[in-house]
């Protein structure tokens, strides 16, 4: 028993990604990511019950922090530096309306009727990351906003459905871009999906646009996110002076959904499925 235990511990470390290569997980790592993903989706289920006009994004952040620490996990966004120098101050990202991603939770920003707000959480449980986001509609939003949110979910769904062993990363972006542009939207270019596992952001980069049958070949065990950001207007974004908040340059609405997925022997497994969500 003891021998098995120490061997399995070793395996957990031994099959870490090759430097610069994609995140590839063995069965044990996949199981740990399943648990992290389940926690991430449970946090968003709780956030969804809280979203309403008058609730601040700061209050959402505290709920995320509370659930995360109660489960013995930590929030990867908190203090994260990414490629910039300013550590992220929140436990999650809250991105409202023309904010594309990386919005900073704020006690002074109360959700208003008609807002669309994306909440993006990434708990680290037992050393593994689960990264997922949903865009919630606050109260009675306009038909255009509701349609954008529903179509952005469909973009993510189509992207995930394009994942299969032997397929290529370009298949994912192509599926997303084709649907998004057919609906008259644009696909954000500056932010992408990413490999994930014991590290937050690794290879491969998952573009949400592109050509089929191009890019890296997908292999069983690979874990990455699919997280399209879809704009009503132009795809271009800019970063506010806080060093994080990304907004659409033309001020138009943006929506996003994100799941963490595993390439399996015969398709794809979604680690971050929500309570009310149809299986893929
Ligand atoms: N969760 C985001 C992603 O999908 C990253 C957020 S980094 C932060 O990759 F620092 F802004 F939180
Ligand atoms: Co992500
Ligand atoms: Co995320």
């Amino acid at each position: 028993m003891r021998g098995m235990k120490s061997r399995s511990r070793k395996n957990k470390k031994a099959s870490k990604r090759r430097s610069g290569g994609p995140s590839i997980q063995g069965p044990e790592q996949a199981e740990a990511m399943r648990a992290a993903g389940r926690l991430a989706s449970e946090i968003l289920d709780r956030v969804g019950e809280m979203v309403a006009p008058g609730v601040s994004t700061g209050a959402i952040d505290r709920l995320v922090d509370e659930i995360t620490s109660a489960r013995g996990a930590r929030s990867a966004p908190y203090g994260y530096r990414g490629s910039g120098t300013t550590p992220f101050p929140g436990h999650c990202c809250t991105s409202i309306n023309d904010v594309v991603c990386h919005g900073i939770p704020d006690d002074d920003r109360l959700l208003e009727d008609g807002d669309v707000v994306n909440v993006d959480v990434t708990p680290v449980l037992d050393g593994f990351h689960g990264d997922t986001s949903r865009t919630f509609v606050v109260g009675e939003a306009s038909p255009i906003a509701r349609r954008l949110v529903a179509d952005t979910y469909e973009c993510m769904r189509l992207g995930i459905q394009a994942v299969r062993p032997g397929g290529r990363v370009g298949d994912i972006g192509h599926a997303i871009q084709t649907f998004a542009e057919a609906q008259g939207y644009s696909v954000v270019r500056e932010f992408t999906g990413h490999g994930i596992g014991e590290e937050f952001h690794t290879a491969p980069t998952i573009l949400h646009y592109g050509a089929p049958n191009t890019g890296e070949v997908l292999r069983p065990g690979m874990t990455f996110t699919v997280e399209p950001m879809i704009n009503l207007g132009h795809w271009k974004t800019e970063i506010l002076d806080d060093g994080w908040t990304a907004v659409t340059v033309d001020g138009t609405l943006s929506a996003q959904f994100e799941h963490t997925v595993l390439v399996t022997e015969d398709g794809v497994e979604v680690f971050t499925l929500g309570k009310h969500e149809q299986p893929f």
Side-chain angles (χ1 to χ4, degrees):
M1 273 303 263
R2 186 180 288 193
M4 259 178 71
K5 206 168 189 182
S6 71
R7 185 160 67 238
S8 63
R9 283 247 173 82
K10 239 186 221 151
N11 284 345
K12 235 179 189 177
K13 294 236 161 80
S15 57
K16 260 191 123 167
R17 76 195 174 94
R18 295 164 218 121
S19 70
S23 294
I24 305 269
Q25 319 298 334
E28 282 190 41
Q29 289 97 335
E31 193 51 40
M33 289 195 67
R34 220 164 263 128
R38 207 177 300 125
L39 173 57
S41 63
E42 284 172 17
I43 294 169
L44 285 187
D45 290 339
R46 294 277 298 278
V47 167
E49 293 163 10
M50 179 184 192
V51 166
V55 172
S56 76
T57 55
I60 291 173
D61 195 63
R62 281 188 291 281
L63 177 73
V64 170
D65 181 26
E66 245 168 56
I67 303 170
T68 304
S69 39
R71 295 281 291 266
R74 73 175 175 89
S75 306
Y78 189 72
Y80 186 73
R81 282 172 193 273
S83 49
T85 52
T86 324
F88 190 78
H91 293 85
C92 63
C93 300
T94 52
S95 304
I96 301 175
N97 298 341
D98 64 323
V99 179
V100 171
C101 62
H102 302 167
I104 297 173
D106 179 357
D107 286 338
D108 295 329
R109 178 55 163 101
L110 307 185
L111 297 177
E112 289 170 17
D113 196 48
D115 282 341
V116 299
V117 58
N118 177 277
V119 180
D120 190 341
V121 300
T122 313
V124 189
L125 182 66
D126 201 15
F128 288 81
H129 293 72
D131 189 3
T132 184
S133 85
R134 297 179 204 158
T135 299
F136 302 98
V137 170
V138 183
E140 296 293 309
S142 69
I144 288 171
R146 282 187 274 123
R147 194 177 72 107
L148 174 68
V149 171
D151 287 344
T152 301
Y153 185 85
E154 181 64 7
C155 283
M156 178 189 66
R157 201 184 63 77
L158 291 168
I160 292 172
Q161 279 190 339
V163 175
R164 55 177 187 83
R168 299 174 76 167
V169 292
D171 303 346
I172 301 169
H174 179 70
I176 293 168
Q177 182 177 24
T178 301
F179 180 75
E181 292 182 355
Q183 307 303 313
Y185 308 125
S186 67
V187 178
V188 169
R189 308 283 203 264
E190 298 95 329
F191 302 94
T192 67
H194 50 89
I196 186 167
E198 288 175 273
E199 287 173 74
F200 196 171
H201 297 111
T202 72
T205 294
I206 307 295
L207 300 178
H208 301 116
Y209 59 94
N213 210 23
T214 62
E216 191 158 352
V217 176
L218 303 176
R219 312 244 176 239
M222 282 174 72
T223 48
F224 52 82
T225 69
V226 178
E227 50 179 304
M229 286 139 276
I230 305 296
N231 299 350
L232 273 188
H234 200 278
W235 54 262
K236 222 174 157 13
T237 65
E238 63 191 11
I239 311 281
L240 301 186
D241 288 340
D242 60 26
W244 281 104
T245 309
V247 298
T248 57
V249 282
D250 59 8
T252 58
L253 278 188
S254 185
Q256 179 182 24
F257 285 86
E258 173 176 24
H259 274 316
T260 297
V261 308
L262 167 75
V263 182
T264 63
E265 295 294 336
D266 56 5
V268 64
E269 177 180 341
V270 176
F271 284 150
T272 46
L273 204 67
K275 181 162 72 174
H276 303 293
E277 205 171 349
Q278 285 299 83
F280 281 71

